[in-house]
Amino acid sequence: MRETEKVKVELEAVKTIKFVGGTILGTLSIVMVPFTQFIPDLPWGMKMFDPTSFPWLIAFFLFGVEAALISATVGAIGITFLGHTHFIGAIMKFSATVPMFLVPAAIIKVLPKINYSSKTLRKPYIWFPLAFFGALTRFVVCFFLNLYWAVPLWTGLTTSEVLETFGGYFNFFLIVVGWNAWQSFWDALLPWLIIYSTKLNENYSYW
């Protein structure tokens, strides 16, 4: 086999592994959905603590952005059919979690002298600042989605009534930021610990 053909085969094998890995981890998040029924809800449907996004971040650490998007998509489909908030919760969970890996990936992609790889993220002084920027993006996305779409659709209130109920734009923003900061903290910490404290990345990372 020619060297170029061998390289192509190896690249295709890696793509397959990433796809399968993302799909499996997305399926794992679906399996977790029924167990979240025991976790208390916030007034607008969001769980006070939701681990279903953890496999999506694990997919990112092991297989990269593409696999994480596959995992998130598969998981969101599962939330649509099994979650108590159905498609609203699925879209919100997807929209809230994707910035947690997409923004860090974009940053290390453009920064000079930083390798675009999973090994780079094992360093806490790199990962957690990156996760912070991902969380900031999450806050903005969730603020607008909650105010103008999710909460009105879930509660039957208009946007004006939502603002009146929660005490205006600033109070609503603080509430969204507060709960999303809580979830972002766990999204950033626990999957990172699972992969890097156990050194799973050394044997199973493909980027």
Side-chain angles (χ1 to χ4, degrees), residues 3-4 16 37 83 97 140-141 154 156 176 178 185 193 196 199 201:
E3 189 66 29
T4 54
T16 301
Q37 65 179 310
T97 306
V140 175
V141 170
W154 179 254
V176 170
F185 171 78
L193 285 175
Y196 295 106
K199 298 183 179 180
N201 66 301

Side-chain angles (χ1 to χ4, degrees), residues 103-117:
V103 171
I107 292 174
I108 62 172
K109 185 82 170 179
V110 300
L111 284 179
K113 298 181 180 180
I114 293 183
N115 292 327
Y116 183 73
S117 70

Side-chain angles (χ1 to χ4, degrees), residues 15-171:
K15 287 181 181 179
T16 301
I17 290 171
K18 289 182 176 182
F19 177 81
V20 173
T23 303
I24 291 173
L25 286 164
T27 304
L28 175 60
S29 73
I30 294 176
V31 173
M32 298 169 69
V33 171
F35 297 99
T36 62
Q37 65 179 310
F38 302 108
I39 301 173
D41 293 334
L42 297 174
W44 54 89
M46 177 182 175
K47 292 292 182 181
M48 295 184 70
F49 175 76
D50 190 354
T52 56
S53 54
F54 294 171
W56 307 355
L57 273 297
I58 290 173
F60 170 60
F61 290 134
L62 291 180
F63 306 113
V65 170
E66 295 86 356
L69 287 171
I70 292 170
S71 180
T73 301
V74 172
I77 293 172
I79 293 172
T80 298
F81 292 102
L82 298 177
H84 71 296
T85 53
H86 303 294
F87 75 95
I88 300 174
I91 292 173
M92 289 305 301
K93 189 64 176 175
F94 183 91
S95 302
T97 306
V98 165
M100 296 298 296
F101 58 80
L102 202 59
V103 171
I107 292 174
I108 62 172
K109 185 82 170 179
V110 300
L111 284 179
K113 298 181 180 180
I114 293 183
N115 292 327
Y116 183 73
S117 70
S118 177
K119 290 182 179 180
T120 298
L121 301 178
R122 70 183 176 184
K123 302 169 184 176
Y125 61 86
I126 291 180
W127 165 243
F128 289 104
L130 291 174
F132 174 74
F133 286 109
L136 291 180
T137 305
R138 175 183 187 151
F139 300 159
V140 175
V141 170
C142 288
F143 171 73
F144 285 105
L145 279 179
N146 273 299
L147 180 58
Y148 293 105
W149 181 70
V151 176
L153 192 59
W154 179 254
T155 62
L157 301 174
T158 65
T159 297
S160 297
E161 289 170 335
V162 171
L163 289 171
E164 184 178 348
T165 301
F166 288 93
Y169 284 100
F170 185 69
N171 284 348

